[in-house]
Amino acid sequence: MENNERVIIFDTTLRDGEQSPGASMTKEDKITVARGLDALGVDVIEAGFPVSNQKDFEVFKIISKELNAQLCGLARCVEKDIEVAWSAVKEAKNPRIHAFLATSDIHLKHKLGISREEALSRIKKQVAYAKSLCQNIEFSAEDASRTDPEFLKLAFRTAIESGATTLNIPDTVGYSQPKEFGRIVESIAQMKEVRENKVNISVHCHDDLGLATANSLEGILSGAAQIECTINGIGERAGNTALEEVVMALMTRKDFYKKSTGIVTEQLVPMSRLVSEKTSMIVQKNKSVVGANAFAHESGVHQHGVIMHNQNYEIMSAASVGAKSKIVLGKLSGKHAVEEFLKSKGIPATEEVVKNALEAIKGAEKNVEMEEVVLRLAEKAGTYFPKKVLI
Ligand code: KIV
Ligand code: ZN
């Protein structure tokens, strides 16, 4: 991939994300999330696995005509799956069929019970069948990172010969290490057939060792054009690459990656909240980019630093992701934070209130409702008059 080129953001919140244990969405939820993803500016929406259930199929039918993003349906390398996936996406402005087959010996032997020869023959036949229906075909070699490198190339060569336009390299079980994954991606991106046919390389990483974002970014540095990811990083087991993380890494470190995306980053936090609500999957407070603490500062040194200049402790602005930077009053907070808090409430930061507040803060065993405590002190000092609720 050339410098400054746009990275293709392929969102699979509605497919791999919904495969998270405990994260199921109703048909209406999926439609709302699909619309949100489109407004967020993702390039491809994988809205489900059409053959697997009627609900997914109906969602595809409802959203297919209204999306600006490409609409993608997942299929095993099985004729029926491909037929149903095509039927689900065919009315979209820009439809894509995503066919996958495992290529690692462990999956071939212990999951599918087929030989490498049989795998190649299925890829050849089913990718060609998909191509007879749709121009835009993605082929994924499931468990690519644990596949014999020469066989992986053979599988991808076969997929290209049958018409694949995107080759996806999944680290299905989150096993790969960044440098190692980068080498796999590079070896595929450098294949003669890939370059001659201008096939896009994609990466799809899982987070079992917490490396999904690092591996995806390494994939970009090694020649991938597309990242597959989900909002809040939801997905099978420990999840998938988090969309908000890769997008903000590419943006914040544009000097390093020299790439861009089409994401409206101000929508990242609202989208995170929406997916959390619809899937009932809580976002951990310290989650990168979208967690409640991602722009919160509690220790006195950090609070003073942020009040002086937000870049002292914030590498991206809270507003750029649709969040607000906050100073949280807690046992490590200092004078500046108390003054700032009082100011934010329109309360004069008198010497007496600030002194009493600091004493209360330092004396507290735990961070319980510090802001409430400070408000009560201001009220006692006659500098704050809470609105009375009239019953
Ligand atoms: O993790 C995986 O290998 C997948 C494929 C279907 C792309 O989700
Ligand atoms: Zn996956």
Side-chain angles (χ1 to χ4, degrees):
M1 196 163 85
E2 303 294 318
N3 275 349
N4 280 321
E5 245 181 317
R6 178 163 153 167
V7 173
I8 301 164
I9 298 296
F10 176 116
D11 182 278
T12 182
T13 305
L14 295 168
R15 199 277 297 171
D16 223 344
E18 205 198 9
Q19 288 175 215
S20 298
S24 85
M25 287 178 260
T26 64
K27 195 167 109 183
E28 289 67 34
D29 290 340
K30 290 192 83 166
I31 294 166
T32 307
V33 171
R35 288 178 178 148
L37 291 169
D38 205 32
L40 181 68
V42 307
D43 300 288
V44 187
I45 297 177
E46 183 167 64
F49 188 5
V51 82
S52 71
N53 64 75
Q54 187 60 19
K55 176 185 82 179
D56 273 14
F57 188 80
E58 288 167 17
V59 169
F60 273 93
K61 287 314 228 186
I62 293 168
I63 59 172
S64 63
K65 292 199 198 92
E66 58 180 84
L67 296 182
N68 290 312
Q70 289 184 35
L71 179 61
C72 176
L74 184 69
R76 290 168 297 183
C77 275
V78 171
E79 207 160 289
K80 175 81 180 153
D81 284 31
I82 292 171
E83 201 180 294
V84 178
W86 174 238
S87 167
V89 298
K90 69 180 177 196
E91 276 140 21
K93 278 187 217 143
N94 205 340
R96 179 186 292 201
I97 298 177
H98 177 189
F100 76 98
L101 186 76
T103 49
S104 67
D105 286 337
I106 196 161
H107 276 223
L108 291 181
K109 188 164 175 212
H110 301 292
K111 187 181 83 169
L112 300 173
I114 60 171
S115 63
R116 287 186 178 186
E117 289 66 36
E118 172 61 17
L120 292 178
S121 126
R122 283 192 198 178
I123 295 169
K124 185 169 177 206
K125 185 162 173 221
Q126 299 305 334
V127 173
Y129 176 52
K131 189 71 176 187
S132 72
L133 303 170
C134 179
Q135 277 312 301
N136 186 349
I137 302 297
E138 172 167 335
F139 170 71
S140 281
E142 191 189 7
D143 208 17
S145 54
R146 293 193 299 171
T147 298
D148 167 45
E150 284 312 310
F151 184 62
L152 185 63
K153 284 191 191 157
L154 198 52
F156 280 148
R157 202 168 288 131
T158 306
I160 294 175
E161 282 163 8
S162 298
T165 44
T166 297
L167 296 178
N168 183 35
I169 307 175
D171 182 26
T172 302
V173 286
Y175 176 74
S176 220
Q177 301 300 301
K179 283 233 163 72
E180 177 189 37
F181 190 63
R183 280 196 292 269
I184 298 173
V185 174
E186 194 175 356
S187 74
I188 303 301
Q190 292 302 324
M191 279 169 62
K192 185 166 137 293
E193 297 81 350
V194 167
R195 289 191 280 121
E196 281 178 3
N197 292 283
K198 297 197 174 7
V199 169
N200 276 338
I201 301 303
S202 165
V203 289
H204 174 113
C205 300
H206 280 268
D207 209 28
D208 299 66
L209 292 172
L211 293 170
T213 296
N215 282 339
S216 299
L217 293 168
E218 192 64 38
I220 291 298
L221 292 174
S222 310
Q226 171 175 291
I227 295 180
E228 301 200 354
C229 46
T230 61
I231 300 289
N232 298 334
I234 62 170
E236 291 275 8
R237 308 180 308 282
N240 287 60
T241 302
L243 181 149
E244 61 277 7
E245 293 176 12
V246 283
V247 166
M248 289 316 290
L250 292 171
M251 184 167 142
T252 308
R253 296 305 312 274
K254 197 167 176 21
D255 61 316
F256 183 76
Y257 292 104
K258 301 190 166 49
K259 301 280 183 261
S260 62
T261 73
I263 299 297
V264 183
T265 59
E266 292 78 5
Q267 283 302 314
L268 286 170
V269 167
M271 200 56 208
S272 160
R273 303 269 150 82
L274 178 75
V275 169
S276 171
E277 181 203 319
K278 300 296 182 198
T279 56
S280 309
M281 300 269 294
I282 293 164
V283 176
Q284 77 200 51
K285 277 194 164 185
N286 61 328
K287 168 80 185 62
S288 314
V289 184
V290 294
N293 283 359
F295 296 92
H297 308 275
E298 200 199 283
S299 87
V301 173
H302 285 222
Q303 290 179 332
H304 182 47
V306 163
I307 292 166
M308 300 288 284
H309 187 37
N310 71 326
Q311 281 179 15
N312 278 327
Y313 287 105
E314 289 178 355
I315 57 166
M316 50 197 144
S317 78
S320 70
V321 299
K324 280 207 176 96
S325 181
K326 351 179 242 221
I327 299 290
V328 179
L329 290 185
K331 61 186 184 313
L332 300 173
S333 299
K335 186 167 169 267
H336 296 284
V338 174
E339 286 172 353
E340 201 65 19
F341 169 71
L342 290 167
K343 251 195 272 165
S344 76
K345 298 279 171 202
I347 303 169
T350 62
E351 212 176 297
E352 181 196 351
V353 174
V354 173
K355 183 173 150 285
N356 291 343
L358 284 172
E359 269 168 22
I361 284 170
K362 304 291 169 214
E365 290 255 314
K366 281 181 99 181
N367 283 342
V368 278
E369 309 285 345
M370 283 303 174
E371 296 179 359
E372 216 23 61
V373 171
V374 176
L375 288 177
R376 295 289 78 79
L377 287 169
E379 189 181 357
K380 208 165 139 201
T383 55
Y384 171 59
F385 311 96
K387 287 197 187 88
K388 295 273 181 275
V389 181
L390 301 173
I391 304 169

